[in-house]
Amino acid sequence: LPLTTVEYEILSRLAEAAGSIVAREQLIAEVFERQFNPEDRSLDVHIHRLRKKLGPHGWLLVTVRGSGHMLRSFAAPANTEAAADLPPAHA
């Protein structure tokens, strides 16, 4: 899968924490190496592009409104409070 460096870093960070929400602030600090600015939409653009590149697997990238992003994990139990807000996994 051809990914930009930024897309790879985002996916890598989400994969390391698969099944857990990674805060937007943390992703921006670690990937873009800058402070969080609520008006900055660059992370959203990269997440959107990643979903498109993942094609039929793009649903694995989840945006948890007001919290951050996560990569679905089939091995991790869905016992987080935010899991109730997530769309159902495709079979």
Side-chain angles (χ1 to χ4, degrees):
L1 189 63
L3 300 176
T4 67
T5 302
V6 171
E7 290 167 344
Y8 177 82
E9 289 298 320
I10 292 169
L11 192 56
S12 176
R13 299 286 191 302
L14 294 175
E16 289 171 0
S20 299
I21 298 168
V22 180
R24 290 179 56 80
E25 295 86 354
Q26 181 181 348
L27 281 171
I28 289 171
E30 292 177 356
V31 174
F32 297 102
E33 297 179 352
R34 61 181 180 231
Q35 284 198 324
F36 175 72
N37 176 348
E39 296 176 11
D40 182 0
R41 308 313 309 166
S42 58
L43 179 61
D44 301 316
V45 171
H46 288 286
I47 293 286
H48 174 76
R49 289 180 183 160
L50 266 172
R51 281 192 186 110
K52 286 181 80 170
K53 287 183 177 184
L54 290 171
H57 306 290
W59 62 272
L60 291 167
L61 286 176
V62 179
T63 299
V64 182
R65 189 175 177 151
S67 296
H69 301 277
M70 69 178 279
L71 183 65
R72 286 186 193 270
S73 170
F74 296 105
N79 61 0
T80 63
E81 291 178 26
D85 297 331
L86 298 177
H90 300 314

